[in-house]
Amino acid sequence: HSFKRNSALKMTSWISYKYGFGTYLHFIKGDFNRPNQKLAEENKSRLLKLAEGLKSRVYLDTIVSIDEKQAIQQTLQLPSVSGQPNNMVLFEYPKNEINELQAYVDNHKLVESIAIDTCILRTTNRGFGYNKSIHIWITTTDTDNSSLMILLGYIILGHPDWKNAEIKIFSIFKKQEMEEKTIALNTLIKTGRLPISQNNIQIIASEKESSHKDIINKHSEDADLTIVGFNDTNIKKKGIETFTKFDDLGDILFVNASELKEIH
């Protein structure tokens, strides 16, 4: 849907701006034959024209596949334009068309079978709002994702589109666990496993786990981008519902790190 919305290309360009290279693929569903080869060439030329002046190191291309599973398999095998292995794959879907994400959920095991970070971008008609605020939600039970989430927040912040934007970091704990979890969180910060200062994180008490959704919806309703984590267990237990919790929010970047990122 490259010619209907450009949020995935924007996100790829922000992440690739200073610290890497990105490959953006326009998916054409069908057999690889002469008509589709011609269509792929036409779409690539159209993409290049639309992306003129894009401030990033993103390589634009098309991919023709018989179905979504094959497209994902081909994508995961592609070499990076830098010559190094790719370390992240980004999927995108619009808020009101959640079924577009079914292809990822159905092929989650395939994606998770290789050492690659996974991001799911849920886009809305807000179009990242005014590019002024990024909210990041972390927990002590989600430490494998936390460092990558924070790192991505600051990488995005380094793009000119997000000049003068502000990052806010939140963490939710149950009331009865506040003291224990706060100590554990501070330990992660002091030992460098979370690359933030204690002053930059807001700790919020919840009555029960089910209220986490309501808390995030309340605090990040006006954020231009919200970053939250997800993991294999979420997909196995809830499937596509993993990504349907936050009705009140704008654009969301869901992050699943393949392993804990040590940031120095």
Side-chain angles (χ1 to χ4, degrees), residues 179-191:
E179 184 176 352
E180 174 190 349
K181 296 293 186 181
T182 300
I183 292 172
L185 183 64
N186 288 338
T187 300
L188 292 174
I189 293 171
K190 288 177 181 177
T191 56

Side-chain angles (χ1 to χ4, degrees), residues 130-134 156-157 159 161-167 224:
Y130 299 99
N131 296 65
K132 291 295 183 184
S133 59
I134 299 174
I156 293 167
L157 197 69
H159 193 279
D161 287 352
W162 291 86
K163 184 180 179 181
N164 300 322
E166 177 186 34
I167 284 182
D224 296 317

Side-chain angles (χ1 to χ4, degrees), residues 17-51:
Y17 177 62
K18 282 186 177 181
Y19 301 102
F21 298 87
T23 300
Y24 178 88
L25 295 174
H26 174 77
F27 172 42
I28 298 171
K29 191 172 183 177
D31 291 314
F32 186 65
N33 50 32
R34 185 167 292 183
N36 278 335
Q37 185 181 23
K38 183 180 178 182
L39 178 61
E41 292 169 355
E42 291 171 351
N43 283 346
K44 183 176 180 179
S45 297
R46 189 177 170 191
L47 272 174
L48 290 169
K49 188 173 181 180
L50 289 173

Side-chain angles (χ1 to χ4, degrees), residues 8 31 45 70 91 131 170 202 207-208 231 236:
D31 291 314
S45 297
Q70 188 182 84
F91 300 92
N131 296 65
F170 303 87
Q202 181 178 341
E207 296 291 344
K208 51 186 178 179
N231 55 44
K236 290 174 184 175

Side-chain angles (χ1 to χ4, degrees), residues 127-255:
F128 300 104
Y130 299 99
N131 296 65
K132 291 295 183 184
S133 59
I134 299 174
H135 287 189
I136 301 171
W137 291 86
I138 64 174
T139 67
T140 53
T141 58
D142 196 25
T143 53
D144 282 358
N145 293 331
S146 298
S147 289
L148 180 59
M149 289 159 60
I150 295 168
L151 180 62
L152 285 171
Y154 282 101
I155 286 174
I156 293 167
L157 197 69
H159 193 279
D161 287 352
W162 291 86
K163 184 180 179 181
N164 300 322
E166 177 186 34
I167 284 182
K168 290 184 178 180
I169 301 172
F170 303 87
S171 192
I172 306 172
F173 302 134
K174 293 178 183 178
K175 274 189 175 180
Q176 63 270 29
E177 298 177 347
M178 279 289 287
E179 184 176 352
E180 174 190 349
K181 296 293 186 181
T182 300
I183 292 172
L185 183 64
N186 288 338
T187 300
L188 292 174
I189 293 171
K190 288 177 181 177
T191 56
R193 293 186 66 189
L194 286 183
I196 52 175
S197 74
Q198 291 168 301
N199 296 329
N200 288 345
I201 186 166
Q202 181 178 341
I203 298 174
I204 300 170
S206 69
E207 296 291 344
K208 51 186 178 179
E209 188 174 343
S210 60
S211 67
H212 287 193
K213 174 188 72 174
D214 299 327
I215 292 171
I216 294 174
N217 278 323
K218 177 183 176 181
H219 283 77
S220 296
E221 182 178 6
D222 295 328
D224 296 317
L225 175 65
T226 303
I227 301 177
V228 297
F230 75 99
N231 55 44
D232 297 350
T233 303
N234 299 143
I235 302 296
K236 290 174 184 175
K237 287 185 176 180
K238 300 179 181 179
I240 209 166
E241 292 181 10
T242 302
F243 309 99
T244 62
K245 300 177 182 179
F246 309 109
D247 292 337
D248 298 335
L249 304 189
D251 298 88
I252 304 174
L253 186 65
F254 297 94
V255 175

